[in-house]
Amino acid sequence: MIFDLDKDKALNETYKLMAQTIIPRPIAWVVTEDEGVVNIAPFSYFIGLSSEPASVLISVGHKPDGTPKDTLANIRKHQKCTICMVQESDLEKMHFSSKGVDKEVSEAEIFNIETETLVEGYPPMIKGVPSAYFCELNQEIDLGGGSTIPLVLNVKQIFVDDEVITDKKRLTISFDPIARIGKSYAFLGEEIEAPKIP
Ligand SMILES: Cc1cc2nc3c(=O)[nH]c(=O)nc-3n(C[C@H](O)[C@H](O)[C@H](O)COP(=O)(O)O)c2cc1C
């Protein structure tokens, strides 16, 4: 079966197709701030773009009323965000934080998500996460319309919890991440070594 996306513009169907075929997707648990309100939300249109310069991309959409999601509005206004990596034990809190709430309401408060300021000048990090990226907006990508806006972010500092660094000399990191599959989640399970190329 072929889905012609130019003919069938029903965004919902396209989302369903992409979300169930590009799998597993990593999850950026994004913290932003505005007027003292800490905003937290997960985004799975998330990918590492480059290590040099260190950069990632998230795509953030609009609310049902047509206004930008709070994360998008806050990044546009302050040019900064903190991206937390999600581990298995945070699944529930991360998922709850996707609830659409008013801009003046902090997901950190309503869902008891503890945060701490680690790097001055950036939004706080969610307590207990294995890793967090402190990012500055590089640019918005114009895809020629549409409601979801890709944001290129430069990564300025990376926090890694000492607990998940299993070998300091070789800088080996290991934690239990969560992936998004369609509208569900998956744990990664077994890690398999790369085969040797002959
Ligand atoms: C795991 C997960 C991944 C999500 N990924 C995205 C995404 O990539 N882009 C997006 O616009 N919304 C995504 N959402 C929905 C947002 O998290 C949701 O709209 C949230 O309320 C936005 O919050 P904000 O207005 O505080 O930014 C995702 C939700 C979940 C649960």
Side-chain angles (χ1 to χ4, degrees):
M1 185 166 186
I2 292 194
F3 296 86
D4 185 334
L5 303 185
D6 280 333
K7 279 190 198 142
D8 177 13
K9 288 230 184 261
L11 183 67
N12 212 19
E13 295 304 316
T14 308
Y15 173 77
K16 276 191 206 161
L17 287 170
M18 293 182 69
Q20 293 175 96
T21 51
I22 303 174
I23 54 171
R25 300 193 305 288
I27 299 166
W29 204 9
V30 181
V31 186
T32 53
E33 240 178 342
D34 185 43
E35 313 258 339
V37 178
V38 173
N39 190 89
I40 303 177
F43 296 89
S44 58
Y45 276 113
F46 167 46
I47 190 122
L49 276 186
S50 158
S51 309
E52 182 53 51
S55 48
V56 299
L57 181 144
I58 58 172
S59 284
V60 186
H62 288 72
K63 298 181 181 189
D65 67 5
T67 59
K69 289 188 184 182
D70 300 339
T71 302
L72 178 57
N74 291 351
I75 293 176
R76 278 176 169 162
K77 185 166 169 191
H78 299 283
Q79 310 279 299
K80 299 237 175 109
C81 71
T82 298
I83 296 183
C84 298
M85 304 305 162
V86 191
Q87 59 193 346
E88 291 177 9
S89 53
D90 285 326
L91 191 149
E92 194 173 87
K93 281 189 173 169
M94 175 277 296
H95 187 71
F96 287 178
S97 71
S98 69
K99 185 175 170 152
V101 296
D102 288 346
K103 199 166 181 302
E104 303 70 39
V105 178
S106 171
E107 292 83 0
E109 276 171 27
I110 55 173
F111 297 119
N112 284 319
I113 303 172
E114 275 190 83
T115 60
E116 59 181 325
T117 300
L118 202 76
V119 180
E120 282 305 328
Y122 287 86
M125 181 184 93
I126 296 164
K127 259 195 179 167
V129 295
S131 178
Y133 286 21
F134 297 88
C135 305
E136 272 177 30
L137 180 64
N138 174 294
Q139 61 180 289
E140 288 188 18
I141 297 178
D142 181 2
L143 295 178
S147 64
T148 307
I149 314 293
L151 304 173
V152 175
L153 302 160
N154 289 130
V155 183
K156 302 307 250 183
Q157 311 218 27
I158 296 179
F159 158 81
V160 182
D161 185 355
D162 287 341
E163 295 277 308
V164 303
I165 302 179
T166 50
D167 184 336
K168 273 207 171 117
K169 264 195 183 154
R170 291 185 189 162
L171 189 54
T172 311
I173 297 166
S174 178
F175 63 92
D176 298 318
I178 298 171
R180 182 82 152 155
I181 294 194
K183 289 207 155 185
S184 308
Y185 297 99
F187 298 156
L188 274 200
E190 201 186 346
E191 192 174 318
I192 296 149
E193 263 189 43
K196 288 221 162 35
I197 300 171

